[in-house]
């Protein structure tokens, strides 16, 4: 059972989906399939609408290139551009296509076979940034309601087995996903109290089944306010935030 059903997930992402649609419309209109130009346009559209990229607390240098995963998901699953305009789609989103195909290989193939094929797909080397970007493509589709949550959970469980040297990165990403999903559930009105929050968080962590992946409430609050624009006053009713400062 999904923790957030697809329609509600998309409702929390309406502004981001609209921004992605606008960016894709401009790219198609001007026949722009150059990656760097597309990334720059995406950044301009987001900033013009005061929309943050999907993220945790970090702001990496390549955050806008990473946010191309959002354009990819909308282009493929909402607009079906991989079929309607394959030349444009494959040229602009070659990397995200490779990442999604690799994610499917990791999920579906036996461990040793999955490792060999994934290394081949990704040029013989997989670092922590590549792992995070692979997970990001699937996460974006889940958060936007185009993929089921269980697909990402299966990937998180399997990825650490296929690439045990990346287990720490996988657990760190699982922690981020739980925080992101709890924040989204708050934005969707599914979590209304601290009891709801704790039950939701514990249930999702148990489904994933990895160690040391429980996010704290401050981290959830940051994502809820930054990515989902949930008012601080509402977050204070649901999350244990700022209580140390209050006691002081």
């Amino acid at each position: 059972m999904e923790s957030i059903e697809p329609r509600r997930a998309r409702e929390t992402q309406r502004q981001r989906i609209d921004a992605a649609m606008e960016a894709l419309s401009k790219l198609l209109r001007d026949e722009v399939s150059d990656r760097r130009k597309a990334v720059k346009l995406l950044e301009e559209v987001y900033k013009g609408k005061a929309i943050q990229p999907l993220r945790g607390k970090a702001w990496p240098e390549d955050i806008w290139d990473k946010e191309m995963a959002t354009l990819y998901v909308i282009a493929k699953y909402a607009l079906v551009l991989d079929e309607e305009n394959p030349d444009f789609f494959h040229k602009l989103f070659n990397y995200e296509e490779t990442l999604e195909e690799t994610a499917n290989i990791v999920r579906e193939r036996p461990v040793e076979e999955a490792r060999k094929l994934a290394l081949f797909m990704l040029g013989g080397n997989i670092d922590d940034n590549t792992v995070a970007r692979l997970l990001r493509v699937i996460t974006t589709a889940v958060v936007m309601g185009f993929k089921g949550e269980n697909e990402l959970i299966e990937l998180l469980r399997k990825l650490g087995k296929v690439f045990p040297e990346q287990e720490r990165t996988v657990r760190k990403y699982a922690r981020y996903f739980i925080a992101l999903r709890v924040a989204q559930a708050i934005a969707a009105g599914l979590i209304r109290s601290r009891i709801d929050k704790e039950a939701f968080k514990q249930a999702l962590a148990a489904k994933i089944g990895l160690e040391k992946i429980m996010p704290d409430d401050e981290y959830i609050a940051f994502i809820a306010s930054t990515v989902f624009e949930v008012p601080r006053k509402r977050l204070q009713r649901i999350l244990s935030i700022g209580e140390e400062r209050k006691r002081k």
Side-chain angles (χ1 to χ4, degrees):
M1 181 177 175
E2 296 292 314
S3 62
I4 305 175
E5 64 100 9
R7 180 185 58 80
R8 284 212 177 187
R10 281 191 286 276
E11 285 174 358
T12 69
Q13 292 293 289
R14 180 51 52 197
Q15 283 185 301
R16 194 180 316 279
I17 291 171
D18 288 346
M21 292 279 199
E22 180 178 326
L24 285 165
S25 176
K26 289 180 178 179
L27 292 170
L28 285 164
R29 181 194 64 203
D30 297 335
E31 298 182 348
V32 174
S33 56
D34 178 86
R35 179 84 178 196
R36 285 176 297 179
K37 290 179 180 178
V39 170
K40 183 64 176 174
L41 176 63
L42 175 64
E43 180 180 357
E44 290 171 357
V45 171
Y46 269 48
K47 287 182 176 179
K49 296 178 178 294
I51 297 172
Q52 293 267 1
L54 284 173
R55 67 185 184 96
K57 287 189 174 181
W59 187 278
E61 289 184 6
D62 61 347
I63 186 64
W64 293 111
D65 192 75
K66 287 177 175 175
E67 187 63 14
M68 286 290 286
T70 293
L71 253 62
Y72 169 76
V73 167
I74 297 302
K76 181 175 182 178
Y77 294 103
L79 302 178
V80 201
L81 287 181
D82 55 328
E83 297 178 13
E84 297 293 331
N85 197 333
D87 290 342
F88 168 86
F89 182 85
H90 298 314
K91 187 173 182 182
L92 190 57
F93 298 115
N94 176 262
Y95 187 50
E96 284 75 19
E97 284 189 284
T98 300
L99 291 172
E100 184 172 16
E101 188 174 347
T102 303
N104 291 335
I105 287 169
V106 168
R107 281 178 46 250
E108 295 168 4
R109 303 294 182 94
V111 171
E112 287 303 317
E113 183 184 355
R115 184 180 177 91
K116 289 178 182 177
L117 287 171
L119 284 169
F120 174 78
M121 294 288 293
L122 297 171
N125 178 54
I126 294 183
D127 58 17
D128 55 352
N129 187 57
T130 306
V131 169
R133 292 193 70 152
L134 184 151
L135 287 163
R136 184 188 184 96
V137 169
I138 308 304
T139 297
T140 301
V142 171
V143 168
M144 291 190 161
F146 294 107
K147 279 184 178 290
E149 185 176 88
N150 284 340
E151 185 169 327
L152 180 66
I153 291 171
E154 289 171 10
L155 180 60
L156 286 165
R157 288 175 180 167
K158 188 79 175 292
L159 201 54
K161 296 175 182 177
V162 175
F163 294 101
E165 67 273 24
Q166 291 295 336
E167 184 181 355
R168 182 177 176 275
T169 300
V170 172
R171 282 193 282 107
K172 183 179 177 182
Y173 198 94
R175 175 177 172 267
Y176 161 69
F177 176 69
I178 293 170
L180 183 69
R181 204 62 163 159
V182 172
Q184 186 175 29
I186 293 171
L190 299 174
I191 293 176
R192 299 173 182 271
S193 70
R194 295 191 182 193
I195 294 173
D196 291 343
K197 175 266 298 181
E198 202 58 33
F200 188 102
K201 185 168 70 169
Q202 294 283 351
L204 186 52
K207 281 177 73 176
I208 295 171
L210 302 177
E211 295 181 354
K212 299 178 182 178
I213 59 172
M214 196 69 74
D216 60 42
D217 282 10
E218 291 286 352
Y219 189 40
I220 294 168
F222 179 86
I223 294 175
S225 61
T226 304
V227 175
F228 296 100
E229 300 182 355
V230 179
R232 184 78 177 179
K233 188 173 289 187
R234 184 171 158 200
L235 293 175
Q236 287 172 331
R237 292 198 307 268
I238 298 169
L239 302 171
S240 301
I241 54 177
E243 295 185 355
E244 286 297 321
R245 288 190 293 275
K246 284 180 185 178
R247 283 195 287 270
K248 290 177 182 178

